[in-house]
Structures are given as C-alpha cells and as structure tokens.
Amino acid sequence: MTEAALFEAFGGVRGMVETVVPGLLFVAIFTVNKDLHSSAIAALAVSLVLAAVRLVRKDTVKHAFSGVFGVAFGVVFAMMTGNAKDFYLPGMLYTLGLALAYLITTLAGVPLIGLMLGPVFKENLSWRTRNPGRKKAYAKASWAWGLILLAKCAILFPLYWWADTTQLGWVLIALKIPPFLLAVYLTWVFLVKAPPPIDVFAEMEAKEKAEQEAEERRRTERQTLDQAAGDLYGDVGPEAATEPPADRPRGRARHRR
C-alpha cells in the first residue's frame, strides 16, 4: 500500500476540490456583497456542476453527491433561519458526529477506519478476528481521525458563536485540507507498519475454484465408472443371456427317458 493509494481511497485531489470549492465560493461572494441568497445559490450550483461532471465522466459520484447534500442542507438551513452563518452549521455538526463515530466505534472494537478501508483493500472484516495487528493499526488510525476532528470542532464552534460569517467561513476553509491530510498521513503511517491485509476475495475465488475442480473430478470418476460398468456388461451380458441354465440339460435328459 502506498500513501498515494490511501489518499485516493479518501477521495484524492478531486474529492478535496469538490469539498472545498462550494464553501469557498459561498464565503467569497458573501464577503463581497453580503447577500445570502446569491452566495447560497452559487455554492449549490457549483456543487451540482461538479456532480454532473462526474456523472458525465462515469466516475465515482460518492464524494460529489456528499458535497451536494452537504451544501443543500446548509443552504436550506441558512434560508430558513436567515442567518448566513447557519450555512456552515450542518457541516460542523456532521464533523462532530463523525469524530464521535470514530471514537465510539474504536472503543466498541470495530474502528470505523477498518469498516471503511476493509472493502478497499479486499479484506472486508477479516482484520477483526484473523489479523490482530491490522486491527490495532485501524484502531490507532480511528483515534487519530476522531481526535483531529474534535480539535477542529473545538476551533469552529466557538467561532460560530463569537465571529461573523466571513471570519467563520475563511477559518473553516483554512481548516478543510490540513487536518484531512494529517489524518490520512497518520493512517498511512499506522497501516504501513501493520501486517498485510488478508485478501478474502482471493480466498473465496480459490475456494470456489477448488470446489469446481473437485466436482469436475467426481463427475469424471462417475463417467469412468459408468463406462467401465457398461463395458463389463457388454462383455458378460450376451454370454449370460445365451448360456442355458445348469439344470436344463438334466431336465431334458429326464424328459427323454
């Protein structure tokens, strides 16, 4: 596993762009004209365009659509309250919930990072029972993600109450990428030292292939036995059918007497 592969698993450069651009456009426009409606519409429009580009290119739309839903919730919330700062609140609450999810799942013995990356590395949940070293690495990575996101929330939520919309927006944009890159890097550090993943997909394919080969051998053996039985019947059957029983000659002899 390379650091680049892990980075791509979390969305890569395009994922970061699709996460940052709508919020950046919102705060930039609001800084200039202080108009909530135009800022919100511009942010939602650009997120839709980014999702449409992925659809046209037939790329994975998970990150783009998560951005669309996040921006849409922010727009609706801000429009309902009339407070431009509320555009950021759904995303902040999501960050807080995600941080708690990382920590709680780790305490429960099923670290969220393992649940997310298990299918990516074709190991599914094999790390839970068959690869304790890898489970430990996933736990460390989940702790790192949870604590980093909690630190981010510790900065943003006080600003939500004390700062104005533009100050909160620019700080939030500044905190988009660096914590994410730090968390990805720490995840790579932990996983690169862990045992390699168990490829359960390869195991399933090998098991299926072995079962097919065993079934083919049984079928071949049955065909061989059937053919041998047919050949034996062909050699013995006609003689047995034409040879008279042992008691028939004596029976005819008594009849002649």
Side-chain angles (χ1 to χ4, degrees):
M1 182 187 63
T2 63
E3 190 175 358
L6 183 63
F7 179 65
E8 287 298 323
F10 284 101
V13 175
R14 288 190 63 182
M16 287 195 305
V17 169
E18 291 163 350
T19 302
V20 172
V21 168
L24 178 61
L25 189 61
F26 177 89
V27 69
I29 295 176
F30 190 84
T31 300
V32 173
N33 60 18
K34 305 297 182 183
D35 183 59
L36 170 61
H37 291 80
S38 61
S39 303
I41 292 173
L44 183 59
V46 74
S47 64
L48 290 172
V49 169
L50 292 172
V53 170
R54 279 195 179 261
L55 287 174
V56 171
R57 294 169 58 90
K58 297 181 179 179
D59 294 333
T60 303
V61 297
K62 176 179 65 175
H63 299 286
F65 275 122
S66 63
V68 170
F69 288 124
V71 173
F73 278 119
V75 168
V76 171
F77 204 66
M79 293 292 188
M80 290 177 59
T81 63
N83 185 354
K85 284 197 293 186
D86 289 338
F87 173 80
Y88 306 111
L89 188 58
M92 293 166 56
L93 293 174
Y94 172 79
T95 300
L96 177 60
L98 188 59
L100 295 177
Y102 279 121
L103 301 179
I104 293 172
T105 55
T106 304
L107 291 173
V110 283
L112 184 58
I113 285 291
L115 299 177
M116 295 167 57
L117 296 182
V120 174
F121 297 123
K122 300 181 180 181
E123 59 182 333
N124 281 352
L125 297 178
S126 62
W127 50 267
R128 289 195 62 198
T129 56
R130 300 172 56 190
N131 206 338
R134 198 156 180 86
K135 179 180 179 179
K136 185 177 180 180
Y138 280 139
K140 291 180 179 179
S142 292
W143 278 114
W145 278 88
L147 294 176
I148 288 172
L149 293 180
L150 276 183
K152 180 178 176 179
C153 291
I155 297 173
L156 293 178
F157 276 96
L159 288 176
Y160 174 79
W161 297 107
W162 301 332
D164 59 28
T165 301
T166 56
Q167 291 172 337
L168 174 62
W170 288 114
V171 172
L172 194 148
I173 294 300
L175 291 178
K176 279 282 186 179
I177 296 179
F180 169 78
L181 293 180
L182 175 60
V184 171
Y185 174 72
L186 291 176
T187 302
W188 176 77
V189 169
F190 296 137
L191 291 183
V192 78
K193 298 177 181 179
I198 299 173
D199 193 340
V200 294
F201 293 102
E203 290 182 345
M204 292 169 59
E205 292 175 357
K207 182 179 179 181
E208 183 179 354
K209 183 178 179 181
E211 291 175 350
Q212 291 175 351
E213 291 176 350
E215 179 63 27
E216 185 65 25
R217 284 195 300 270
R218 289 192 293 267
R219 188 183 299 111
T220 302
E221 291 172 358
R222 286 196 299 267
Q223 292 175 351
T224 302
L225 291 174
D226 292 342
Q227 184 177 359
D231 293 342
L232 181 62
Y233 176 78
D235 294 338
V236 178
E239 296 178 1
T242 57
E243 183 179 354
D247 60 344
R248 288 183 63 186
R250 289 193 291 271
R252 288 197 297 270
R254 287 196 298 268
H255 180 72
R256 286 196 297 272
R257 288 196 298 270

